[in-house]
Amino acid sequence: MTVARTRTTLSSLILSLVPLGAMADQTGLMELSLPDPTGGRATTGFVWYPAADPADTVLALGNAVWEPIRVAPDADPVPGSYPLVVLSHGMFGNARNQAWLAEGLVAAGFIVAATDHPGTSTFQRDQDQRRELWERPRDVSRVIDTVLDDPGIGPSVDASRIYMAGHSLGGFTAMLLAGARFDPGRTDAFCTSHPDDRVCTIFNDWGVAKTPEDRVAMSGDLSDPRIRAFAVFDLGGTQSLSLESLGAIARPVLVYGAPVAIEGLDLDVESRALVAALPASLAIYHEPATMAHFDFLGVCTERAIEILQQEEPDDVYVCEDGREDRRAEHRQIIAEVTDFFQAN
């Protein structure tokens, strides 16, 4: 693994590195490479971990729109055994999107990993890969395999304590890994009666589960028994999942719903419906009154709104109330997710 020093374009949530000087016990950062032995799905991401007395630190994973976090590139890990959390980004997001959560979890004693999902990431939007949503949970399983096998960070991971958190489409990915099964018949029936539903229009545009072969692949068992508990951030796609499979999930799930309407997700169809379908003893639900869908992304810079108005005016809403209000929400989420994983 090597620390990432990559693209510097504004719209890409790119990596930026700025020296800060020596500090002790910081968040270490290594680049994660996931080669695909079957070909066509090689991708990259990051591993964050407790770093032992690094010689220097830098600001990373930010740009003119998104605030960076402070990390120690390729620093030695603090000796010990740590639980692992894998993060899954949302539609056309990337492995940097929840760096704020990774930083908070590392401070609480976790190792955190994330990868870009080919087809549905900022940098990889191949149409065929986009429709192959069954590959997303497999990406997460490959992250776990790669981190555990890595000679540098693998020995620091407690393989008996592995967790996952996902935002939006990443939340849908998390539920597949928890044991939920895609239900083609339920999806068809719902989307026929709700043709303007946000998830239905996306799945239709992407060609999800349109062929017999894809329907079989999508509705297969994509779970990973190594993951002990899941945190789901304002997911989309509940209406496509089998109610029977949701009721049979046997691992704890922490669900956040975002009631401030921006993305067009109906909580009665999505997060609230998910919690109602899960076993009551295993589901915890939070719906903070001021939470919006994009509050699970990073904190916006002081100039973010101005820059977006000039360069991406249709995207200004992702940074509305995206500074101190969002920073406070992040502190709350970090505390609640940390407590949830530590309790499970």
Side-chain angles (χ1 to χ4, degrees), residues 164-303:
M164 184 189 169
H167 172 228
S168 194
L169 189 58
F172 176 79
T173 303
M175 295 317 303
L176 295 176
L177 284 153
R181 303 284 284 269
F182 181 83
D183 186 335
R186 183 174 186 236
T187 304
D188 291 346
F190 180 88
C191 291
T192 297
S193 59
H194 300 78
D196 295 329
D197 176 79
R198 173 71 168 162
V199 170
C200 291
T201 57
I202 290 171
F203 281 11
N204 184 62
D205 289 345
W206 292 0
V208 173
K210 295 301 184 183
T211 69
E213 296 79 10
D214 283 6
R215 289 166 83 87
V216 169
M218 274 297 298
S219 53
D221 181 3
L222 300 169
S223 63
D224 191 324
R226 295 173 295 182
I227 305 174
R228 295 176 59 116
F230 301 82
V232 175
F233 304 145
D234 205 34
L235 89 162
T238 301
Q239 61 275 57
S240 73
L241 301 174
S242 156
L243 292 175
E244 180 181 4
S245 69
L246 289 172
I249 286 175
R251 287 171 279 179
V253 183
L254 173 64
V255 180
Y256 283 84
V260 178
I262 290 178
E263 183 66 358
L265 295 176
D266 183 346
L267 290 184
D268 288 335
V269 172
E270 300 290 3
S271 296
R272 294 170 189 158
L274 173 64
V275 173
L278 291 170
S281 63
L282 296 176
I284 299 174
Y285 185 55
H286 293 308
E287 191 179 302
T290 61
M291 189 77 72
H293 186 75
F294 293 102
D295 286 334
F296 297 98
L297 300 184
V299 172
C300 298
T301 65
E302 290 183 353
R303 295 191 59 234

Side-chain angles (χ1 to χ4, degrees), residues 181 247 257 329 338:
R181 303 284 284 269
E329 290 170 338
T338 297

Side-chain angles (χ1 to χ4, degrees), residues 50 81-84 103-111 161 338 342:
S81 181
Y82 303 95
L84 171 67
E103 181 182 40
L105 288 170
V106 167
F110 291 83
I111 292 172
R161 294 185 292 163
T338 297
Q342 289 177 339

Side-chain angles (χ1 to χ4, degrees), residues 7 23 55 72 82 92 97 110 130 174 202 207 210 249 304 307 318:
R7 339 178 165 220
M23 298 185 72
Y82 303 95
F92 300 140
N97 286 169
F110 291 83
R130 193 178 305 170
I202 290 171
K210 295 301 184 183
I249 286 175
I307 291 169
V318 303

Side-chain angles (χ1 to χ4, degrees), residues 33-43 135 138-139 141-143 145-146 149:
S33 296
L34 293 180
D36 182 3
T38 64
R41 205 169 176 87
T43 188
E135 293 290 356
R138 292 176 181 171
D139 292 340
S141 293
R142 283 197 296 145
V143 169
D145 294 338
T146 302
D149 291 343

Side-chain angles (χ1 to χ4, degrees), residues 4-8 13-17 29 46 60-62 96:
R5 287 175 169 85
T6 57
R7 339 178 165 220
T8 55
L13 311 181
I14 36 61
L15 174 64
S16 167
L17 299 177
L29 176 69
F46 303 98
L61 310 178
R96 301 154 174 78

